[in-house]
Amino acid sequence: MSIVRSIAPLAILALQGCAGIQSALDPTGIEAERINVLSWLLMLFSTAVLVGVCAIAAAALFGGDALRARISGERLVVGGGIIFPILSLSLLLSYGFYLMGPGSPAAHTDGGLRIEVEGNRWWWRVTYVDENGQRIESANEIRLPVGRPVEIALTSADVIHSFWVPKLAGKLDMIPGRTNRMTLDVTEAGISRGQCAEYCGGPHALMAFFVIAMPEDEFAAWLDHEAADAQPPSGPAGGTGQALFQSSGCIACHRIRGTIALGTIGPDLTHVGSRHSLAAATLENDPAAFAQWIRDSQHVKPENLMPSFEIFTQSELNELALYLDQLR
């Protein structure tokens, strides 16, 4: 009984990995569902083979002379060691090709919306290209309509990254100078977490993002709003924050549409206040997090390419944070 009590908490912790916003065993995308089916099939097959091998080994060790003589013959060696692996692995391989092949429904989009994702050190540039060719830039977050396959074009601006959202699809490398393509077809609304799955140096472990799946009508309204310019700041503090942003060098790296901020080195901040997180899913999105990131970004995400700004007083940090939080 004591052994059971000691093992139970570990079992509960292990089961926590089978669900959640970044679990491949809790799929909410067509491709992830296919991967899940194939994974369980392989695990069950492997378990059956292991049980069979253990049974034969036990018979060889503890069985009678007649049983030992039977399992030591050529039939078991040829049948279990040659014919069975060839047939079973060929069937599994064929089924895997059928299940995950390019002819699957998840591989075809309607030719409308396309999303371009560029891996950077250590954040994600996300650009929506609508049916009319209009380009709408965002960062560190992807929003998708439910039930509508969307092509994702993947590339890198610097080193090799890897795009992986376990709940939605398999992973695909992002290679400088090359564009790889995948399709995300989400089956239900909700939030999934993605991660760079290829070590890319520095704060690689802190290079994540969220995928937010929305009903079609909500997504259309969101995309229309995302395409609009930033609203002017409200209140004296917001206005002061905007002036600080424009006079302190921030506009050299960041763009805020509708203002003089036209930088392209860092993430587009036009609607940064409405995103699910900050700093590539490293911080919550609130004024305190904005202030923390501006003041001490190198402590939050060591070796990221934005310097820490220690020149601002606490009052100025609060005003800057308020301005950025208003960009919704």
Side-chain angles (χ1 to χ4, degrees):
M1 193 65 171
S2 60
I3 297 177
V4 174
R5 289 178 179 175
S6 62
I7 294 177
L10 297 177
I12 292 173
L13 287 175
L15 288 173
Q16 291 298 315
C18 299
I21 61 174
Q22 198 170 344
S23 172
L25 299 179
D26 185 24
T28 56
I30 296 295
E31 184 177 342
E33 290 172 357
R34 294 171 182 271
I35 293 173
N36 189 52
V37 170
L38 187 59
S39 299
W40 278 109
L41 177 62
L42 293 174
M43 286 188 283
L44 292 173
F45 174 77
S46 301
T47 301
V49 170
L50 176 61
V51 171
V53 171
C54 290
I56 294 172
L61 290 172
F62 308 111
D65 293 339
L67 182 58
R68 290 185 181 186
R70 183 177 299 177
I71 63 176
S72 64
E74 289 187 1
R75 288 186 177 181
L76 181 62
V77 174
V78 174
I82 299 177
I83 298 176
F84 175 72
I86 291 175
L87 289 178
S88 60
L89 294 179
S90 297
L91 288 172
L92 285 172
L93 181 62
S94 300
Y95 182 67
F97 282 141
Y98 164 75
L99 194 65
M100 304 302 300
S104 63
H108 305 288
T109 66
D110 60 7
L113 177 68
R114 185 177 81 255
I115 300 177
E116 299 173 356
V117 181
E118 180 185 76
N120 290 260
R121 294 177 299 168
W122 283 269
W123 59 282
W124 311 84
R125 189 188 304 274
V126 179
T127 305
Y128 299 83
V129 184
D130 67 13
E131 293 83 350
N132 300 317
Q134 181 183 21
R135 301 176 64 84
I136 306 158
E137 187 170 319
S138 183
N140 298 322
E141 178 181 289
I142 299 173
R143 302 212 178 199
L144 296 170
V146 173
R148 178 181 173 191
V150 177
E151 179 186 277
I152 310 294
L154 304 171
T155 189
S156 171
D158 35 57
V159 299
I160 296 177
H161 302 281
S162 189
F163 183 90
W164 190 29
V165 192
K167 283 174 64 72
L168 303 182
K171 58 186 176 181
L172 188 60
D173 282 351
M174 310 168 77
I175 301 171
R178 175 173 177 171
T179 299
N180 290 330
R181 303 179 188 278
M182 69 186 308
T183 300
L184 293 182
D185 190 355
V186 187
T187 56
E188 60 184 71
I191 298 176
S192 305
R193 188 178 188 273
Q195 180 75 43
C196 178
E198 179 77 26
Y199 179 67
C200 50
H204 156 74
L206 299 176
M207 185 177 172
F209 59 98
F210 287 99
V211 178
I212 302 175
M214 313 166 68
E216 180 74 44
D217 55 343
E218 292 182 17
F219 174 79
W222 173 85
L223 191 62
D224 286 342
H225 177 76
E226 190 73 7
D229 291 344
Q231 294 294 316
S234 61
T240 303
Q242 182 184 45
L244 284 169
F245 185 90
Q246 295 176 350
S247 64
S248 301
C250 305
I251 61 175
C253 294
H254 296 286
R255 182 184 184 191
I256 299 177
R257 297 191 300 274
T259 74
I260 64 171
L262 300 175
T264 58
I265 297 174
D268 187 300
L269 302 180
T270 303
H271 299 292
V272 65
S274 63
R275 292 174 193 161
H276 188 74
S277 65
L278 299 178
T282 303
L283 297 172
E284 299 289 335
N285 191 342
D286 55 40
F290 278 116
Q292 180 184 4
W293 176 254
I294 295 168
R295 180 184 62 248
D296 202 9
S297 66
Q298 289 301 315
H299 178 74
V300 175
K301 185 184 284 195
E303 298 184 46
N304 87 87
L305 302 185
M306 175 175 165
S308 297
F309 284 82
E310 300 178 355
I311 60 174
F312 298 116
T313 65
Q314 188 59 50
S315 176
E316 290 173 330
L317 276 174
N318 293 340
E319 291 164 339
L320 265 172
L322 178 62
Y323 168 60
L324 294 172
D325 186 63
Q326 290 180 358
L327 297 175
R328 297 177 179 270

